[in-house]
Every structure is written in structure tokens, then in C-alpha cells.
Amino acid sequence: MSEKVRELISEADVEAKIAELGAQISKDYEGESVFLLCILKGGVFFTTELAKRITVPVSLDFMSVSSYGAETESSGVVRIIKDLDTSIEGKNVLVVEDIIDTGRTLAYLLENLKHRNPKSLKLCALLDKPERRVSDVAVDYKGFEIPDEFVVGYGMDYDQKYRNLPYIGVVEF
């Protein structure tokens, strides 16, 4: 099967939005530090760019959580593939995700993290697809609201392809 990628959000628009999010997060956490919890693999591009634009002290760890595999639709079964290396107890935790689709994965993850006693727990997503939502999740910092299309680039992939695109694109089959 051959697919094409159509640009949805330009590299310049993505960079401008990340700078805006970084400024807001820096303001909101002024005088404190923030623990960025990057959701792998898709969130790594967004997390590193966001971290560079946050002016308060930042620490960082990674989790890998999956409900997709090689498919374009969520399986609905959430698995933690890689857990945190450090405790989040007493920390201001900001979960950084590339995209929120159905919300199932994040609802599960946020509930899991609440039991680890962070000082605060918030969510930052580059992209949000609210019309696909089946689980209620509050997005504290949102980059772009997008239509129900399968997107790639800036860390997001289709079967491990297109992660390295510097813009957000739509896969057209």
C-alpha cells in the first residue's frame, strides 16, 4: 500500500505554538520546578522542543504506553511498556503527549499516575482530536485542535514512518 502525506500544520506554526506553550508553562510554574513526563515514542520531538522553551527548572523522564501497535485505530487495550525510572511523589508533573485521540490511553495513565502522589498533575498535548474522544481527559495545555484525520510528523508515525517530518501531515491512503 502506498500513501501520501499532505501538510496540515506548517513547521513555522508548530514552532510558534510550542514557544507559546513554553511561555505559559513557565509563567504557571514560576518559582517552582516542573517534571516533564514524555510519552514515547511520539512525544519525544514535542517534549524536547518544549523543554527548551520552559524557563523554570525542568527534570525529565519517559514512559512508553501503547494501544495502537501497527494499526491506525486504537485497540482499546492499554499497556505500559516502559515505566518511570524515578518517583514523582511531591513533584509538579506535566505529562507531555503528541496527540490525544480517544483519550483511553491518557485516562488510564493519568489515573495510574495520581496514585503515585504527585504535588500536581497536568497534561500538555501538541494535538487534540476532540471529536474522537471516548474517555474524558482535561487538557491543560493544548497546541492545536485538529479534525479526525490520521496525522504524522513531529514524532508521530504511521507504522514507524514519517516521525522525522518537521511539520504535521495527514496520511492519505
Side-chain angles (χ1 to χ4, degrees):
M1 176 186 276
S2 179
E3 64 273 349
K4 293 183 179 179
V5 178
R6 168 179 50 88
E7 185 176 296
L8 179 67
I9 304 169
S10 73
E11 180 177 8
D13 287 346
V14 171
E15 288 178 2
K17 182 59 75 173
I18 293 172
E20 180 184 309
L21 290 168
Q24 185 62 52
I25 291 164
S26 298
K27 182 180 174 201
D28 292 352
Y29 289 96
E30 191 173 342
E32 306 234 9
S33 61
V34 65
F35 181 91
L36 299 182
L37 196 172
C38 173
I39 306 302
L40 297 171
K41 297 178 185 172
V44 75
F45 286 71
F46 177 42
T47 303
T48 56
E49 291 303 312
L50 181 64
K52 290 192 280 187
R53 290 161 176 87
I54 296 173
T55 57
V56 299
V58 167
S59 55
L60 175 69
D61 203 350
F62 303 89
M63 284 184 86
S64 183
V65 185
S66 178
S67 66
Y68 280 85
E71 305 302 317
T72 60
E73 292 286 325
S74 172
S75 68
V77 177
V78 179
R79 297 180 314 141
I80 293 179
I81 297 164
K82 184 220 174 290
D83 207 338
L84 295 170
D85 293 330
T86 56
S87 170
I88 60 169
E89 187 168 349
K91 296 179 181 175
N92 292 312
V93 176
L94 182 60
V95 176
V96 183
E97 179 68 285
D98 53 357
I99 186 168
I100 303 173
D101 195 320
T102 64
R104 279 189 199 112
T105 303
L106 277 169
Y108 171 85
L109 180 62
L110 291 170
E111 190 59 35
N112 178 293
L113 293 171
K114 281 179 193 170
H115 296 292
R116 302 182 192 199
N117 302 316
K119 178 178 180 182
S120 67
L121 182 61
K122 292 189 177 182
L123 176 59
C124 179
L126 181 59
L127 303 176
D128 186 18
K129 280 192 204 177
E131 64 188 85
R132 298 255 311 149
R133 194 82 79 248
V134 296
S135 294
D136 190 31
V137 283
V139 184
D140 301 285
Y141 303 98
K142 183 182 347 182
F144 300 93
E145 204 166 282
I146 62 168
D148 184 14
E149 297 184 283
F150 194 82
V151 292
V152 294
Y154 223 85
M156 292 165 285
D157 72 299
Y158 168 65
D159 201 18
Q160 299 301 322
K161 295 184 288 187
Y162 308 116
R163 284 190 195 279
N164 60 322
L165 295 176
Y167 58 87
I168 308 297
V170 175
V171 176
E172 298 179 333
F173 298 94

